[in-house]
Amino acid sequence: MTKSLENPSRRRLFRGKLTQQPPLLRLPWIKSESSFTELCNQCGDCITACESKIIETDESGFPSIDFSKDECTFCGKCQEVCHQPLFLDKESIATNNIKPWPASLEISNQCLAQNNILCQSCQDVCDTRAITFSYKTSSIPQPSVNLTDCNQCGACISTCPQQAITLTLDNQFEVTHA
């Protein structure tokens, strides 16, 4: 009988991949990464329930979000089917206006508009109008993100032809929401 390695970093060491992995986007409104990896039993119910099919398993078998596939509609089905206490309560989310992820939307220099090629696909799909374009120093309008208006749905990420948009977790992700 062989014993499986419980520590993913040890597994990466044996594969020669000990480099620090960037934190993954988990399901929206989880309490913390540590409680998620401790309590999630990797049943896969959230993957099956997701109407956008953006939940997949990471290399350790835990659910994570892949915005390259589509956007999150915030339907709440992943929370509804989960039998573990992984999520913040809905009242706390509404009362405190808590974003789905402790993250920021960033547009890299691979953006077509930033390279003087007309593109506004991210603005076109942004329902909250958090991404706007204006003329600055170029003859091509440049994007800017209003993080206050961004609901972090990921629509702009899946639409960007250059994969220039990312939702990057803040360094403070381990802070548990009460």
Side-chain angles (χ1 to χ4, degrees):
M1 182 170 145
T2 61
K3 184 178 179 186
S4 65
L5 290 173
E6 296 294 325
N7 185 339
S9 64
R10 286 180 120 179
R11 196 174 295 132
R12 284 191 294 276
L13 170 67
F14 293 128
R15 290 185 194 152
K17 299 178 183 176
L18 191 57
T19 58
Q20 183 71 14
Q21 298 292 327
L24 296 170
L25 282 177
R26 299 297 182 190
L27 306 180
W29 294 293
I30 63 168
K31 293 178 181 176
S32 72
E33 173 71 9
S34 59
S35 69
F36 183 84
T37 55
E38 181 182 320
L39 298 173
C40 175
N41 62 8
Q42 302 177 352
C43 67
D45 289 348
C46 57
I47 296 169
T48 305
C50 180
E51 64 183 31
S52 299
K53 304 297 178 207
I54 62 170
I55 303 174
E56 59 182 25
T57 56
D58 67 10
E59 67 179 32
S60 301
F62 291 103
S64 64
I65 300 294
D66 182 359
F67 281 131
S68 68
K69 296 178 177 183
D70 204 351
E71 67 185 276
C72 182
T73 61
F74 305 115
C75 65
K77 291 181 180 175
C78 57
Q79 295 168 339
E80 290 171 14
V81 299
C82 186
H83 301 290
Q84 303 300 320
L86 304 176
F87 301 94
L88 300 172
D89 64 90
K90 291 180 181 182
E91 183 179 318
S92 175
I93 293 167
T95 303
N96 299 310
N97 197 25
I98 299 173
K99 297 272 189 177
W101 293 276
S104 298
L105 191 73
E106 299 172 358
I107 301 176
S108 77
N109 61 3
Q110 291 186 346
C111 169
L112 291 174
Q114 291 182 15
N115 288 285
N116 292 321
I117 300 169
L118 185 62
C119 178
Q120 296 182 358
S121 60
C122 55
Q123 175 182 268
D124 295 342
V125 297
C126 185
D127 288 340
T128 63
R129 298 292 173 227
I131 300 175
T132 57
F133 281 76
S134 61
Y135 291 94
K136 295 179 182 173
T137 59
S138 171
S139 61
I140 301 293
Q142 299 297 302
S144 61
V145 179
N146 180 339
L147 294 175
T148 304
D149 292 341
C150 178
N151 68 359
Q152 302 178 333
C153 70
C156 57
I157 296 170
S158 63
T159 302
C160 180
Q162 292 295 100
Q163 292 89 38
I165 305 173
T166 55
L167 191 62
T168 306
L169 286 173
D170 298 337
N171 293 334
Q172 307 290 331
F173 185 60
E174 276 306 313
V175 175
T176 303
H177 294 95

